[in-house]
Amino acid sequence: MSEIIGVPLGYIMWLMYQITHNYAWAIILFTLITKIILFPLSVKQQKSSAAMAAFQPKLEKLKKQYANNQQKLQEEQMKLYSEEGINPMASCLPLFIQFPILYGIFDVVYRPLTHILHAGKDAITAATEITRNIFTADGGAVPAYFEHRPEIYIVKEVQKDPSAFSSMAEQFPEFAEKVVNFNNKLFGIVDLGDIPTLHPEVWNAAAVILLMIPIMSGIIQLIMTIYMQIRNKKMNPDAPSMGGMNIMLYVMPLFSVWIAFKYPAGIGFYWTMSSLFSFVQSIVLYHVYTPEYVASLVEKDKKKRKKKNRPNMMERYQQIMEEQMAAQNGQNGQNSQSGSSKSKSGAVAAKVSDDDEEEGTSEVKISRAKQKEYEKMIIREARRRQAEKYGEEFIDDD
């Protein structure tokens, strides 16, 4: 999946690198472009979150009213969602979209030769073998992640000693030159292919900046989380504390730190820039989408739907639920009617049997007149039940 998503993202990253000639700046521009592309979804998410905050008191009232009837509570909640035009899952959509993009970023960062320098597969295969031989020379060992991300190690080795790849010069004359000129340094000193660590070989400026990438990623996420909590509380002060959700919000900063320490610095740098842009975006959107403004938008949406006579998603869902319940009730009614008819049939049969036994016959025989009377009774009973079901007046005639 990461390779499939990585191909189109790789072309965007390649274009950004052609503009900036710097991998770090390419990541920054790439992050900004993805935020701009996803901005309509972010606006929708913010609008939905603000609407949910204003909607929360009504929801709490229903929970208190139907505390002992969960089925009725669910029905009333769906009805309220439908009336207000609110989709409770709308705020989750941007989050679901961001994760595939993150997978694509993994592939782009792992394979700079493929996505940024557009080196051919044969050249990468040849360079991989040379790099492996460099590592195993003099009894050395291949790095743990070499098989999963060989292109990052190839870039390091080519930039360290281009002459080691001179055997490729005849078949791939431009390969070594492209890799040597590949500017994958942040601030000119930090290799974005390196993995941040708490125990570097040497504590220098590059090691400190590399360490700060995961830390800054977690700090920005934490600040954004606290800001969102404060804004949500201000928008809806009566809302109850959602302990589980709060825990998840504070887990995200830790997740950011883990991501940045686990993978090459390019991943952590993208995650940091993405969090920073998201934080700025949240500040803007929270100031625009105030509770009053959201309430006016919700009313406009209601009027538009009424004018177009088109139900929203929650209304369609409610219609489906009501149709299913009606079908189920109808089936239960038919079963009940069938059971009643059978009881009536048994009663008539018993009556006929008693009459025949009084006449001294040993076999139960129903005359044609009694058969017709029995059939009329069944039809009359069915008509009566139908009239009761639909609130109509039942007229007992033949």
Side-chain angles (χ1 to χ4, degrees):
M1 187 176 95
S2 60
E3 291 186 13
I4 294 173
I5 301 172
V7 170
L9 296 185
Y11 277 104
I12 298 174
M13 190 73 82
W14 169 82
L15 180 60
M16 297 302 101
Y17 184 79
Q18 297 303 309
I19 294 171
T20 63
H21 299 288
N22 182 280
Y23 193 36
W25 276 106
I27 290 176
I28 293 173
L29 287 181
F30 172 84
T31 309
L32 183 60
I33 287 174
T34 56
K35 288 297 177 184
I36 291 172
I37 293 173
L38 295 176
F39 185 72
L41 287 176
S42 299
V43 170
K44 191 173 182 180
Q45 178 190 25
Q46 188 67 25
K47 177 182 170 183
S48 176
S49 297
M52 281 295 295
F55 171 76
Q56 199 67 30
K58 298 180 181 178
L59 205 58
E60 290 302 316
K61 186 178 178 181
L62 283 180
K63 288 180 180 178
K64 291 178 181 177
Q65 185 176 354
Y66 300 103
N68 299 323
N69 191 339
Q70 290 299 313
Q71 183 176 352
K72 184 64 176 177
L73 174 61
Q74 291 176 3
E75 292 175 5
E76 292 299 321
Q77 282 179 337
M78 295 305 298
K79 185 179 178 181
L80 189 58
Y81 280 128
S82 176
E83 290 173 353
E84 297 292 331
I86 293 175
N87 179 6
M89 298 301 294
S91 59
C92 301
L93 183 59
L95 186 63
F96 290 137
I97 294 176
Q98 285 181 31
F99 278 105
I101 291 177
L102 186 60
Y103 272 107
I105 287 292
F106 284 164
D107 192 63
V108 172
V109 173
Y110 284 164
R111 303 199 296 162
L113 300 178
T114 299
H115 295 294
I116 310 299
L117 302 182
H118 286 179
K121 289 183 179 179
D122 293 339
I124 294 172
T125 301
T128 301
E129 289 304 315
I130 293 173
T131 305
R132 183 182 284 108
N133 293 333
I134 292 172
F135 287 136
T136 56
D138 300 326
V142 175
Y145 295 104
F146 177 75
E147 300 301 332
H148 298 286
R149 47 186 91 152
E151 295 187 24
I152 293 176
Y153 294 97
I154 291 170
V155 171
K156 283 179 175 296
E157 294 303 317
V158 173
Q159 292 181 344
K160 186 190 298 182
D161 183 13
S163 62
F165 295 81
S166 57
S167 60
M168 295 177 58
E170 185 176 349
Q171 189 175 1
F172 310 103
E174 298 181 354
F175 179 80
E177 183 182 357
K178 281 184 176 181
V179 177
V180 169
N181 293 329
F182 177 48
N183 186 359
N184 64 334
K185 300 292 193 296
L186 175 64
F187 303 129
I189 57 174
V190 179
D191 188 341
L192 291 176
D194 287 340
I195 299 176
T197 176
L198 294 170
H199 307 286
E201 294 180 2
V202 179
W203 277 107
N204 51 24
V208 173
I209 295 173
L210 197 63
L211 178 64
M212 288 303 295
I213 290 176
I215 294 173
M216 289 304 299
S217 176
I219 289 174
I220 294 172
Q221 277 280 342
L222 182 61
I223 292 173
M224 184 170 67
T225 299
I226 294 172
Y227 173 78
M228 290 173 63
Q229 291 287 82
I230 293 172
R231 293 296 303 182
N232 288 336
K233 192 66 178 176
K234 188 177 291 186
M235 291 172 65
N236 187 17
D238 297 328
S241 177
M242 300 173 68
M245 184 62 70
N246 290 340
I247 291 172
M248 284 302 297
L249 288 173
Y250 287 105
V251 163
M252 284 305 294
L254 296 176
F255 178 70
S256 298
V257 174
W258 178 82
I259 284 271
F261 268 118
K262 186 76 174 176
Y263 298 96
I267 299 287
F269 185 65
Y270 161 77
W271 195 258
T272 303
M273 289 297 102
S274 179
S275 299
L276 181 61
F277 288 141
S278 295
F279 181 40
V280 174
Q281 180 179 274
S282 296
I283 293 174
V284 174
L285 290 178
Y286 269 118
H287 278 84
V288 172
Y289 285 89
T290 60
E292 295 78 15
Y293 182 54
V294 170
S296 66
L297 290 178
V298 170
E299 288 300 320
K300 286 180 181 178
D301 288 344
K302 286 181 182 179
K303 291 178 181 178
K304 284 181 182 178
R305 287 197 306 273
K306 288 180 180 179
K307 189 175 181 180
K308 293 180 180 179
N309 196 24
R310 186 173 61 187
N312 59 30
M313 192 192 82
M314 299 307 296
E315 287 173 336
R316 291 196 297 270
Y317 181 75
Q318 186 181 9
Q319 287 175 1
I320 293 171
M321 293 293 292
E322 288 176 354
E323 288 173 3
Q324 290 179 348
M325 290 179 66
Q328 186 177 0
N329 290 338
Q331 186 176 2
N332 292 340
Q334 288 179 359
N335 292 340
S336 174
Q337 180 177 324
S338 173
S340 174
S341 299
K342 286 179 181 179
S343 0
K344 288 282 183 182
S345 172
V348 172
K351 183 177 183 304
V352 172
S353 176
D354 292 340
D355 291 344
D356 286 341
E357 284 179 2
E358 285 177 3
E359 292 174 4
T361 57
S362 59
E363 286 184 32
V364 177
K365 294 181 181 180
I366 303 176
S367 66
R368 184 174 296 178
K370 287 185 178 181
Q371 179 69 29
K372 285 183 178 181
E373 182 183 350
Y374 164 70
E375 291 173 353
K376 286 181 180 180
M377 186 183 298
I378 295 297
I379 294 170
R380 190 182 299 112
E381 180 64 16
R383 286 177 56 207
R384 186 184 66 79
R385 288 186 172 276
Q386 285 291 103
E388 287 179 355
K389 181 178 178 181
Y390 295 102
E392 298 174 352
E393 183 182 358
F394 172 66
I395 301 175
D396 188 4
D397 59 24
D398 294 333

